[in-house]
Amino acid sequence: MRLSDEPQRYYLTLTVGVRIVLQGWWASEATARWKFSGWVGEYGNLHGAKITLVDEETGQTLARWP
C-alpha cells in the first residue's frame, strides 16, 4: 500500500550474492539515506551483503555498502 502519490524516486536494495533480499522506494532522499544507514546497521554483518541506494530519476548511485 502506497502512503503517498509522490513518485518513489530513491531505490534501496539489499542483496546477498545475486539474490535481492530487501528492497524499498522512497520519495524523500533524506528518508532513503536514513533507511540506508539503518540497513547497514541491521544487515551489514550478513556474509556477502551489499546495500545500494540509487536515484532512479538520474540513475546515480548515491550510497553503497561495503
Side-chain angles (χ1 to χ4, degrees):
M1 179 170 104
R2 278 181 70 172
L3 301 176
S4 169
D5 288 333
E6 291 182 61
Q8 305 299 297
R9 174 176 175 171
Y10 301 97
Y11 178 51
L12 185 59
T13 58
L14 164 64
T15 58
V16 177
V18 296
R19 182 172 171 242
I20 295 175
V21 177
L22 287 175
Q23 57 186 342
W25 291 263
W26 290 273
S28 162
E29 182 177 352
T31 300
R33 287 185 181 275
W34 179 74
K35 290 287 192 174
F36 175 86
S37 294
W39 286 19
V40 168
E42 191 166 347
Y43 305 109
N45 64 342
L46 293 175
H47 180 71
K50 294 181 183 176
I51 303 168
T52 307
L53 175 60
V54 173
D55 179 338
E56 288 202 316
E57 187 173 294
T58 66
Q60 179 181 10
T61 299
L62 302 175
R64 181 178 296 144
W65 188 94

